[in-house]
Amino acid sequence: MDAATAPPPSPARWRVGLEQSPVSSVTFRHAREHRVKACRGIILKGMCGIVGYVGPLTPSDRPLSVALEGLARLEYRGYDSAGVALATPDGVQMRKKAGKLKNLRDSLETDPLPAATAAIGHTRWATHGAPSDENAHPHLSADGKLALIHNGIIENFAALRAEVESSGVRLRSETDSEVVAHLLARAFDAIGDLTEAMRTVSARLQGAYTLLAIHEDVPGVIVGARRNSPLVIGLGEGENFLGSDVAAFISHTRTALEMGQDQIVTVSADEVRVIDADGAPVTPREYTVDWDASAAVKGGFDTFMAKEIHDQPAAVGDTLLGRADETGRLRLDEARIDESVLRSVDTIIVIACGTAAYAGHVAKYAIEHWCRIPVEVELAHEFRYRDPIVNEKTLVVAISQSGETMDTLMAVRHAREQGAQVLAICNTYGATIPREADAVLYTHAGPEVAVASTKAFLAQITACYLLGLYLAQLRGNMFIDETQALLAELAEMPSKIQEVLDTEGHITDVARDLSGVDSVLFLGRHVGFPVALEGALKLKEIAYIHAEGFAAGELKHGPIALIDQGQVVIIVVPSPRGRDQLHAKVVSNIQEVRARGARTIVVAEEGDDNVEPYADVIFRVPQTSTLLAPLVSVVPLQIFACQLASAKGLDVDQPRNLAKSVTVE
Ligand code: AGP
């Protein structure tokens, strides 16, 4: 019996005296007051764009133009403010603007900055702290001599902020990044060496970061540091480049250096020095970028969808980051609904559309099991027009990647009119749906460019698990050790997702072999059922193939009539360690369709050899507990759809008739 599906605690076991609950209602702001358990080994791909350029000591317009061009190449990452800082003979000069790069360019047109020897540039995707001029990067030290840009999340932000403020510094922004700028300036003033200052300050930071800094007293130099967030160096002739990915500088050089965890780099026009956290010199790996500029923005993948499928370990890891303290107690830092309200909730209704609704279906199984609260999942456009039973004891959870889906927005308004509390799970900071909700749990998947949702889907499921564990902990359904055990398993999921990604070649071969099919059926049970629905949707929307997902138990109630010789059927098999003989039932479903001529593709756990006699193809996934399985079992289906559509020569990222956000009803 796996942890996630062990029988729910009997009422007698429920924690008595909820006042012991460690969870307190918190404000919307990201409460970073406690160090959090960063997910082990997760390489977090930051959402922001970072560019650096160091050229000859003769000032010119090149640093600024290279920085702006690099930021333009990183626009695909999505952002809501942009800024640059220049090292000039008149000291550090900075300009930053909320909104798109055009706002920054217009400002520089009307009020130009002087010629420079170095530049750092940044596009910010706001996760905490509104998109505004003040919160945009770069951030300056109090004396204006140092400028810093940052990508990532500093988890011990609150303690460091208090330390900086107690020294008399008045912070200008809501960001964690500005605090680092002040710490770095203070360290430089004490040490007199920007590299050593960066090394000592970055050692104090917890969480994920890429940092670049310039200082007036160190002309023609950029110092950088990274942990769990990307930074690459581009080697030029008499000039050098830095970027959050090679897209930032690929038009200038294809020779790049890869930086490792906790390393610090010092870049001038003619030299690149890298040291480790102890100050020892490091020789970074040099490589040649063989992607073209357009491929570079996709991280070397052929499509954004393929890139985003591979971003999923980071999307899940980012979404988990900062949600629990050292003891594993959950703090949903943006979910501001009073504990008493959450304890009084007697029904949860998930409203969403498309893929987001399937995330809600996964959530249903988990939250009902952990919290013993009935969970309904409603298509937003249906919810609105039926006469739902909604009142102040109903928690409506609105799931939306874009936060702008009109069907979901109108359903949110309808639910609120009926007195329900609304919590939004959204991937886009400040979008309409989170703004109109009573509380928000942001996913941190980063901008999702492909119309077909992949990494946002896994991030939504992850956020739903967090919500379920939070409610179970708050309402006393689970003991802290139970929550901890599941959080520990969740922390392992990014690396398990990576294991599936590593089997992409096998899945791609199968997809290419089947590129001529015109119909595929998907079967699943329990949490495998919404996974089957999502697999079918992916194939429909990007490969234009008739695909349908069914609950496997439904087969004999009609759909089995569809099985004919050669019909492709993909079956998502639950863990053999799960409860209720689900595994055996699904294996018999495979037999049933195979006996009638189906070509069976089976998604099954490593080591599950029961399926082998009936499977024409097996997509293997790592072992997980039953309720967490969707985080790995959907990945082969995403790859299958993406590669089959690519084999058909279709536009995977912008499929016909579809928009990324459906802002009409
Ligand atoms: C998923 O691949 C589709 N793009 C679509 O079903 C999408 O999930 C749906 O339109 C909801 O979008 P949202 O998450 O932005 O609200």
Side-chain angles (χ1 to χ4, degrees):
M1 187 70 62
D2 58 52
T5 54
S10 64
R13 280 194 62 207
W14 291 4
R15 183 186 302 284
V16 176
L18 289 171
E19 66 285 350
Q20 296 157 5
S21 161
V23 180
S24 59
S25 67
V26 291
T27 63
F28 265 102
R29 281 189 203 301
H30 187 83
R32 293 187 183 90
E33 72 273 27
H34 287 282
R35 192 181 72 75
V36 291
K37 195 174 304 211
C39 301
R40 264 192 301 285
I42 303 308
I43 299 298
L44 309 177
K45 291 191 173 44
M47 297 83 156
C48 307
I50 278 192
V51 187
Y53 172 83
V54 190
L57 284 175
T58 312
S60 71
D61 296 337
R62 183 163 170 76
L64 178 59
S65 64
V66 169
L68 291 175
E69 180 200 339
L71 292 180
R73 287 192 180 283
L74 297 176
E75 282 194 290
Y76 76 91
R77 299 166 74 102
Y79 66 101
D80 38 48
S81 60
V84 290
L86 304 178
T88 79
D90 308 332
V92 170
Q93 305 286 323
M94 189 264 290
R95 188 73 53 79
K96 56 186 183 176
K97 284 289 174 193
K100 292 306 179 192
L101 210 44
K102 183 181 181 312
N103 296 354
L104 178 63
R105 287 183 186 279
D106 290 349
S107 167
L108 291 165
E109 283 291 321
T110 52
D111 178 13
L113 291 177
T117 57
I120 54 177
H122 187 273
T123 49
R124 178 174 182 254
W125 169 266
T127 48
H128 309 289
S132 66
D133 290 1
E134 297 71 26
N135 288 336
H137 300 208
H139 290 284
L140 296 181
S141 55
D143 61 9
K145 286 189 165 189
L146 177 140
L148 174 129
I149 56 180
H150 165 230
N151 180 8
I153 300 173
I154 305 298
E155 296 310 335
N156 54 333
F157 157 69
L160 296 174
R161 181 187 182 105
E163 178 187 322
V164 166
E165 287 181 319
S166 64
S167 70
V169 168
R170 191 181 60 77
L171 294 168
R172 306 180 190 95
S173 77
E174 305 167 83
T175 67
D176 48 1
S177 314
E178 185 192 353
V179 170
V180 180
H182 293 300
L183 290 171
L184 186 59
R186 193 171 67 186
F188 176 75
D189 292 344
I191 300 170
D193 178 297
L194 192 55
T195 304
E196 187 57 17
M198 179 66 87
R199 188 176 73 84
T200 50
V201 168
S202 53
R204 298 186 61 199
L205 306 181
Q206 293 155 11
Y209 57 78
T210 300
L211 302 169
L212 292 188
I214 54 176
H215 196 291
E216 180 176 304
D217 297 346
V218 193
V221 168
I222 296 177
V223 175
R226 70 163 293 266
R227 178 189 301 155
N228 286 337
S229 185
L231 178 62
V232 287
I233 297 125
L235 302 179
E237 296 296 326
E239 58 185 13
N240 287 310
F241 307 81
L242 301 102
S244 32
D245 66 51
V246 295
F249 52 70
I250 194 170
S251 56
H252 302 288
T253 178
R254 290 178 173 276
T255 308
L257 298 178
E258 194 175 74
M259 273 191 67
Q261 286 280 67
D262 293 314
Q263 292 180 350
I264 292 94
V265 64
T266 306
V267 182
S268 62
D270 300 313
E271 187 184 24
V272 174
R273 279 185 296 113
V274 180
I275 58 174
D276 63 17
D278 299 325
V282 168
T283 306
R285 182 178 76 86
E286 184 175 310
Y287 63 97
T288 302
V289 181
D290 55 8
W291 306 323
D292 62 27
S294 71
V297 297
K298 298 166 193 159
F301 292 94
D302 295 336
T303 62
F304 279 111
M305 183 179 179
K307 174 184 178 297
E308 287 155 8
I309 288 171
H310 282 262
D311 281 349
Q312 292 184 118
V316 171
D318 278 1
T319 300
L320 287 168
L321 199 63
R323 305 296 188 184
D325 64 22
E326 293 84 352
T327 64
R329 295 181 194 286
L330 278 165
R331 295 183 181 284
L332 300 190
D333 26 41
E334 299 101 338
R336 184 189 62 186
I337 297 182
D338 290 337
E339 288 177 14
S340 58
V341 172
L342 292 175
R343 286 201 189 97
S344 68
V345 164
D346 60 13
T347 307
I348 292 176
I349 300 179
V350 177
I351 53 175
C353 300
T355 291
Y358 301 147
H361 278 290
V362 173
K364 172 185 172 68
Y365 290 92
I367 295 176
E368 285 187 340
H369 182 77
W370 293 335
C371 304
R372 312 311 295 152
I373 306 176
V375 178
E376 295 170 31
V377 183
E378 294 272 354
L379 290 171
H381 40 78
E382 287 296 316
F383 172 82
R384 235 193 109 207
Y385 294 105
R386 69 177 184 80
D387 198 1
I389 314 297
V390 174
N391 56 44
E392 70 288 347
K393 291 192 175 218
T394 308
L395 176 65
V396 166
V397 179
I399 304 177
S400 176
Q401 188 286 130
S402 62
E404 300 299 344
T405 298
M406 187 55 72
D407 289 322
T408 307
L409 175 59
M410 300 312 284
V412 162
R413 290 176 178 167
H414 184 63
R416 299 202 67 203
E417 285 159 12
Q418 312 294 314
Q421 293 283 316
V422 177
L423 185 148
I425 291 179
C426 185
N427 193 48
T428 309
Y429 187 93
T432 307
I433 290 172
R435 279 206 315 272
E436 298 201 10
D438 298 297
V440 179
L441 185 52
Y442 279 112
T443 53
H444 295 163
E448 190 174 66
V449 177
V451 166
S453 187
T454 51
K455 62 177 183 174
F457 177 60
L458 290 202
Q460 288 161 357
I461 293 174
T462 304
C464 290
Y465 290 147
L466 289 169
L467 177 62
L469 292 172
Y470 174 79
L471 290 173
Q473 180 185 300
L474 179 68
R475 297 162 60 96
N477 304 108
M478 291 175 90
F479 291 102
I480 190 70
D481 53 338
E482 293 167 307
T483 339
Q484 265 184 323
L486 283 161
L487 279 171
E489 185 177 356
L490 272 172
E492 298 304 323
M493 294 312 286
S495 49
K496 292 192 173 185
I497 294 164
Q498 187 58 50
E499 285 179 45
V500 185
L501 295 173
D502 294 343
T503 68
E504 180 175 38
H506 165 54
I507 301 165
T508 300
D509 293 344
V510 175
R512 287 176 180 158
D513 289 347
L514 293 174
S515 57
V517 296
D518 56 12
S519 163
V520 177
L521 305 182
F522 291 76
L523 302 181
R525 266 185 199 262
H526 197 265
V527 289
F529 173 31
V531 171
L533 294 172
E534 171 61 10
L537 176 60
K538 287 284 127 354
L539 211 54
K540 274 185 268 210
E541 65 176 329
I542 62 171
Y544 314 150
I545 289 173
H546 174 261
E548 200 165 346
F550 298 100
E554 194 61 10
L555 202 58
K556 54 191 173 301
H557 299 288
I560 200 163
L562 289 171
I563 308 302
D564 199 350
Q565 192 59 38
Q567 170 66 51
V568 176
V569 182
I570 297 180
I571 307 99
V572 181
V573 179
S575 166
R577 302 181 318 287
R579 57 191 275 206
D580 300 335
Q581 297 303 309
L582 280 182
H583 176 265
K585 292 183 172 71
V586 175
V587 171
S588 64
N589 293 141
I590 304 173
Q591 288 174 276
E592 288 159 19
V593 298
R594 189 79 179 301
R596 291 164 175 78
R599 292 168 66 182
T600 54
I601 299 174
V602 172
V603 180
E605 273 191 359
E606 289 297 342
D608 179 1
D609 51 16
N610 299 288
V611 301
E612 285 179 11
Y614 320 107
D616 291 307
V617 170
I618 301 179
F619 294 156
R620 288 290 180 187
V621 294
Q623 294 185 359
T624 68
S625 54
T626 300
L627 287 172
L628 306 190
L631 289 178
V632 291
S633 57
V634 78
V635 179
L637 308 187
Q638 295 168 334
I639 296 170
F640 178 77
C642 180
Q643 294 302 332
L644 196 153
S646 297
K648 291 179 73 173
L650 298 174
D651 184 345
V652 170
D653 289 333
Q654 303 292 334
R656 68 187 182 199
N657 310 336
L658 293 175
K660 181 61 186 169
S661 176
V662 183
T663 55
V664 292
E665 280 193 283

